[in-house]
Amino acid sequence: MADLIHEREGSRHTVFHARPRVPGTPPSTAAAANAALTALPAAYQRRHGDMTAAGISYPLDTCYGLPDFDRPSHLIELAAATMKRRLLAGTAPAPEAILVWNPMQGHLPVWLMRALAPGTAANAGGRQRFTLMSRDALQLLAARANLCRHGIPPDAIALRHQVALHATPGGHKLALLHPDDDLPSAARDGLFATLTPLLYPGGHAVLYGGAPTLAPLLAKRRPFQLVRETRRRALRVAILGAPPS
């Protein structure tokens, strides 16, 4: 038994993305979607070592099946550098609730933890809580494992195995968003309307990805305000401020 969560049709084929249904639970519930997401299987584990992005080093265990296993990509570097210049340069308190859409290996959320607590092997305060969201379960398991190794308690990390931002709990101060290139049109057109209740007033969203992917999204960013934008090598990073109320 499985729940269908995404369907995409091509000219001569159809691709279905489904998740196992946990026995005894109703279909299409968050509990059923996430109950099967346990530990990262040992067969996926690839290497352990320190990475560096935007001048900040951080430990990371990487796995097969996801990119950026030897070093952070140009996109991760660009996003980290943009965040370092704009979000981490002042005296504002560290965000305690962080949403990450498509965390991949976990580079950016772990980099953020090290940037917020430089010189420590783990987040000593343990106050941060994360919501990790992706249609790729391997991303969720890899990023959660790396955040736990960095000192984030497992019960402070929620996993959302879903395609887009719909049905995601609110209450976040920061959202790191790496939208899929093939995001369904309804999710693409309503992205910022869906994002608004997920962030506290005055919170920030960081969108990063290929410039062609982000261009149509940012064209409909209202009521969010553009705070800073960086472009390089057909890549784009935009920091947006949530509406004040």
Side-chain angles (χ1 to χ4, degrees):
M1 298 291 288
D3 289 323
L4 181 65
I5 61 174
H6 185 57
E7 177 181 348
R8 187 169 182 85
E9 295 185 3
S11 58
R12 300 178 63 182
H13 67 277
T14 302
V15 177
F16 299 96
H17 179 203
R19 60 193 170 206
R21 182 179 302 173
V22 178
T25 59
S28 303
T29 65
N34 297 324
L37 298 178
T38 55
L40 180 68
Y44 283 99
Q45 297 173 7
R46 183 170 183 133
R47 69 179 294 272
H48 171 78
D50 285 342
M51 305 283 184
T52 301
I56 296 175
S57 296
Y58 53 96
L60 202 77
D61 289 351
T62 61
C63 65
Y64 293 96
L66 295 175
D68 309 334
F69 47 81
D70 285 330
R71 63 183 63 86
S73 64
H74 292 302
L75 179 59
I76 296 297
E77 287 271 7
L78 191 65
T82 306
M83 291 174 61
K84 185 178 180 181
R85 286 193 298 266
R86 182 59 182 85
L87 293 182
L88 305 180
T91 58
E96 294 186 7
I98 303 165
L99 170 66
V100 188
W101 184 6
N102 286 328
M104 304 301 285
Q105 302 274 8
H107 280 276
L108 209 52
V110 173
W111 175 89
L112 179 62
M113 289 296 90
R114 179 55 64 91
L116 293 172
T120 63
N123 175 33
R127 296 188 306 166
Q128 271 75 28
R129 56 183 177 87
F130 284 83
T131 300
L132 306 180
M133 193 207 81
S134 178
R135 68 185 184 189
D136 185 345
L138 185 57
Q139 293 189 37
L140 301 178
L141 296 176
R144 179 176 65 181
N146 276 307
L147 283 170
C148 287
R149 291 187 183 98
H150 200 69
I152 304 298
D155 59 1
I157 305 172
L159 304 186
R160 308 286 301 183
H161 189 204
Q162 58 193 60
V163 174
L165 293 175
H166 63 280
T168 303
H172 302 92
K173 292 291 290 184
L174 176 65
L176 309 179
L177 309 178
H178 181 32
D180 295 287
D181 292 340
D182 60 348
L183 194 64
S185 58
R188 182 173 59 248
D189 295 340
L191 175 64
F192 288 100
T194 307
L195 179 60
T196 299
L198 305 186
L199 287 172
Y200 279 119
H204 289 92
V206 181
L207 265 71
Y208 56 105
T213 299
L214 295 195
L217 301 178
L218 292 172
K220 301 179 180 180
R221 67 177 183 268
R222 302 294 180 187
F224 284 75
Q225 298 293 321
L226 183 63
V227 175
R228 187 182 184 99
E229 185 176 25
T230 309
R231 305 189 195 196
R232 185 190 306 161
R233 299 184 184 179
L235 303 175
R236 191 171 181 180
V237 178
I239 298 179
L240 306 169
S245 61

